[in-house]
Amino acid sequence: MTVGRIPPPAATGSRRVRAPQRSARRADRAAGVVLALLLLVHPLTAATAGASPLRGLQERLGQAQQRLQQLTGQRQAQESVVDRLRGRTQGFAVELGRVEEALFATINRLVQAEAELDQVEQDLAQLEAQIVEKQAAVDARSGVYTTRLRAMYKFTRTSPLEQLLGARDFSEVLQRVTMMQAFTRVDNLLLGQLRTEQADLLRAKEELQRKQAQAQALRDEIDQQRVNLALQRTQQATLLEAARLDQGAAESVLSEYDQQARTEQASIASLQVQYQKELEEQERRRLEEQRRQEELRRQQALSQSATATAQAQNQVQQRVQQTAQAVQAVQAAQTAQAGQAAQATQAAQAARAGTATAQAAATRQAQPAASSTAAPRSSPTAQPAAATPRPAPSATPAQRAPAAQVPPATQRPSGPPVYGSVNTTSGPTVDGFSWPVNSPIVTTEFGDKSPFQASHTGIDLATAMYTPVRAAADGIVIESGLAVAGKPSLSYGMRVSIAHKGGVATLYAHLDDEKLKPTVKSGDRVERGQVIGYIGMTGLTTGPHVHFEVLIGGEPRNPRNYLPK
């Protein structure tokens, strides 16, 4: 047998190896380029995406800080306005106190002057009675003298001259003259004393009348001063109320600025927290990107190392393939030289293979029958047993207990305290004070916090509309009218103020001004229990009542200390 020429296999194997190698190199280069692009583009994208939220937060922070700065400037300006208005209100309050102090002093002088005038009038009345008594005595003495002369004329039927001419001698004339002189002297003496006393009384009367005129003039002058001071007090009170309203409005604006400033500060704090979180998030992303880039570089290095390893392995495989091809060529030559022996061996092996094939076919035919016979016996066990549902767990004793066994929550009553009604049947106090309303209900005590005052300056006496309100003690009305002129719905509304002895004053506020107006005016003298107005709902009030205050030197005191217990 001729051995053919075996062509060299190196060329074909080299082509088959170099094609995958070139593809691998191109893939590695493409992966390197993509990786480089990712390394360049991703940090820029992350930086741009991270800078945008931070820039937005910085702009919002800057705007909020500018607004806060503007609010701070506006608040400082408004605070200056509030300070100026507070000083103005304080000045009006001081001036009002001075006017009230002068008014009370004038009222005390007026009371003293009226007392002195009353005393002068009493003295004058007594003196007039004495003058009348003296005139009666003079008239009586004149009557006695006239009666004596008439009696002498009646019994003697002669005149005194005739009695003198009818005397028997000169001694009798002297005796008669002496007797007549004695009668005349006694009568003239008594009559002269009476007339002197009457003249003294008349002079005293003139002096008392002069004092009465002076006292009356002084009383009128003091009363005019009281009227002027009361007018000044009303004007100052109006100015003070207006100043307080302006101050309240300015303080409200200041409070709004404070609220806006607090809101801006909270917004700035929130933005700063967001900014800090965004910075931390960007730092986290930067670190994560740094770790990712390091991982990409590691992967790139690993890829390059794997490429080099693959190239080395390809070269080894090429050499192995070349060696294997040479071995195959040698083996083919050897196989061709031993053809006959191989054919004989193959024939024997084919015979043995045929026998083995027949035995295997017989075995395959016997296996399906055995399988079909064993299947019915295994079917009962192959079916899964039906699942038995598990009973639900029984309820616990706490769950079985009825809801009614749980005691309901105790609720606390809410709302302002009610102080109840007052018994006003007792008489006045030692100082002459009594309750201004019969059987009222005290709804707010002195010093309590009310919807309109942080510290209540009096007591609120609630009762039905149009109930009479009476003067708590004797005094002089110093004010009667609206607290804010022309605005019955503001402040105390319709009010009456009365000055009493000892520098004490009382205030009655929220009186009715439509159906039943106050019955007194400034300058009227009132007595304890006299009706001065009626229960109303003027001013800042939540129901019909009278706000009753007691003031000493313009400072409010607890009315409970002056009213009957």
Side-chain angles (χ1 to χ4, degrees):
M1 186 172 81
T2 304
V3 179
R5 183 175 180 272
I6 301 174
T12 305
S14 178
R15 285 193 214 92
R16 287 198 298 266
V17 172
R18 286 196 187 111
Q21 185 175 3
R22 284 195 298 271
S23 300
R25 282 198 296 270
R26 283 196 297 269
D28 292 338
R29 284 196 296 271
V33 171
V34 171
L35 180 61
L37 289 175
L38 287 174
L39 291 175
L40 291 173
V41 173
H42 190 272
L44 295 176
T45 305
T48 305
S52 180
L54 283 178
R55 188 178 302 110
L57 288 173
Q58 287 176 348
E59 291 177 356
R60 292 171 61 188
L61 271 172
Q63 293 172 359
Q65 289 173 350
Q66 287 180 358
R67 289 195 299 270
L68 180 60
Q69 186 175 4
Q70 291 176 357
L71 285 173
T72 302
Q74 292 174 352
R75 187 193 180 284
Q76 290 176 352
Q78 188 65 24
E79 189 174 11
S80 300
V81 173
V82 170
D83 291 339
R84 179 175 57 79
L85 290 176
R86 285 175 179 169
R88 182 180 172 213
T89 302
Q90 182 65 25
F92 284 146
V94 171
E95 182 63 21
L96 179 60
R98 186 191 65 78
V99 172
E100 287 182 343
E101 183 179 357
L103 178 60
F104 282 118
T106 302
I107 290 174
N108 289 333
R109 289 174 55 203
L110 179 61
V111 172
Q112 183 179 358
E114 288 181 345
E116 292 177 356
L117 181 60
D118 292 340
Q119 184 63 41
V120 170
E121 289 176 350
Q122 292 177 3
D123 295 342
L124 184 60
Q126 293 177 359
L127 188 59
E128 287 180 348
Q130 293 178 3
I131 291 173
V132 171
E133 183 180 354
K134 289 298 181 181
Q135 184 63 43
V138 170
D139 294 341
R141 175 56 58 184
S142 299
V144 169
Y145 182 66
T146 304
T147 303
R148 182 181 295 113
L149 292 178
R150 288 178 181 175
M152 291 175 60
Y153 179 76
K154 181 178 179 181
F155 289 110
T156 57
R157 299 292 182 182
T158 58
S159 64
L161 181 59
E162 290 178 343
Q163 290 181 6
L164 292 175
L165 295 177
R168 291 189 298 270
D169 51 19
F170 185 73
S171 61
E172 186 177 356
V173 171
L174 291 176
Q175 184 179 2
R176 289 183 178 182
V177 170
T178 302
M179 183 180 64
M180 291 175 64
Q181 289 178 349
F183 282 122
T184 302
R185 188 166 51 253
V186 171
D187 290 336
N188 289 334
L189 180 61
L190 294 175
L191 187 60
Q193 290 178 351
L194 289 174
R195 288 177 175 172
T196 300
E197 292 176 358
Q198 184 181 20
D200 292 339
L201 290 175
L202 290 174
R203 285 192 297 272
K205 179 181 179 181
E206 292 177 355
E207 182 65 21
L208 285 176
Q209 288 176 344
R210 185 181 62 81
K211 289 183 178 180
Q212 182 185 16
Q214 291 178 351
Q216 184 66 37
L218 179 61
R219 189 261 180 203
D220 293 341
E221 180 182 356
I222 295 174
D223 187 63
Q224 184 60 40
Q225 292 177 1
R226 179 196 62 78
V227 170
N228 294 335
L229 289 173
L231 180 59
Q232 292 181 15
R233 182 186 182 278
T234 301
Q235 294 173 350
Q236 287 297 324
T238 302
L239 293 174
L240 177 60
E241 188 65 26
R244 285 174 176 170
L245 291 175
D246 293 341
Q247 177 183 339
E251 289 176 346
S252 299
V253 174
L254 184 62
S255 299
E256 291 178 0
Y257 284 147
D258 290 338
Q259 181 62 34
Q260 293 177 5
R262 286 192 293 269
T263 302
E264 290 297 335
Q265 288 173 352
S267 176
I268 290 173
S270 177
L271 290 173
Q272 288 175 344
V273 171
Q274 294 179 20
Y275 189 82
Q276 183 65 28
K277 288 183 178 179
E278 186 63 28
L279 281 177
E280 293 174 356
E281 179 65 19
Q282 285 202 10
E283 180 65 17
R284 185 190 65 79
R285 277 185 255 170
R286 187 188 67 79
L287 294 176
E288 183 178 356
E289 179 64 23
Q290 184 178 357
R291 287 192 296 269
R292 196 184 67 80
Q293 291 178 4
E294 291 176 354
E295 181 65 21
L296 287 174
R297 285 192 292 270
R298 188 179 67 82
Q299 292 292 339
Q300 186 179 17
L302 289 176
S303 177
Q304 293 175 355
S305 176
T307 302
T309 303
Q311 291 175 356
Q313 288 178 352
N314 288 332
Q315 292 176 0
V316 172
Q317 286 177 358
Q318 288 176 5
R319 293 191 187 95
V320 169
Q321 287 177 359
Q322 291 175 0
T323 304
Q325 289 173 0
V327 171
Q328 288 177 1
V330 173
Q331 288 177 352
Q334 291 176 355
T335 302
Q337 292 175 358
Q340 293 178 353
Q343 290 177 358
T345 302
Q346 288 178 357
Q349 289 177 352
R352 289 193 296 269
T355 303
T357 302
Q359 290 177 355
T363 302
R364 284 196 298 271
Q365 290 177 359
Q367 286 179 352
S371 300
S372 62
T373 305
R377 288 196 300 267
S378 62
S379 59
T381 60
Q383 304 222 353
T388 304
R390 294 179 60 189
S394 59
T396 61
Q399 294 171 344
R400 291 196 299 269
Q405 292 179 0
V406 181
T410 304
Q411 297 182 359
R412 296 181 57 191
S414 61
V418 178
Y419 295 93
S421 60
V422 177
N423 182 9
T424 59
T425 57
S426 59
T429 62
V430 178
D431 296 331
F433 281 83
S434 61
W435 288 90
V437 181
N438 291 332
S439 301
I441 296 177
V442 178
T443 58
T444 308
E445 288 283 0
F446 179 82
D448 286 355
K449 184 177 181 180
S450 70
F452 308 109
Q453 287 182 331
S455 180
H456 201 231
T457 56
I459 57 176
D460 288 347
L461 308 176
T463 185
M465 283 287 290
Y466 310 125
T467 299
V469 178
R470 306 175 185 276
D474 298 344
I476 298 176
V477 178
I478 59 176
E479 189 174 31
S480 176
L482 294 174
V484 180
K487 297 181 180 180
S489 61
L490 296 181
S491 187
Y492 282 150
M494 181 62 69
R495 62 180 178 178
V496 172
S497 298
I498 301 176
H500 310 284
K501 62 181 180 180
V504 180
T506 53
L507 171 68
Y508 312 78
H510 306 306
L511 302 178
D512 186 60
D513 71 329
E514 293 182 356
K515 185 177 179 181
L516 298 173
K517 295 182 180 294
T519 59
V520 295
K521 62 182 183 300
S522 178
D524 290 351
R525 295 185 63 86
V526 295
E527 297 180 354
R528 183 184 67 250
Q530 179 179 339
V531 176
I532 60 173
Y534 299 90
I535 292 290
M537 289 183 61
T538 58
L540 300 175
T541 178
T542 58
H545 73 282
V546 59
H547 173 83
F548 178 68
E549 286 188 15
V550 174
L551 302 101
I552 297 181
E555 294 295 328
R557 303 296 176 89
N558 191 348
R560 289 279 194 179
N561 298 332
Y562 297 86
L563 294 173
K565 304 300 182 183

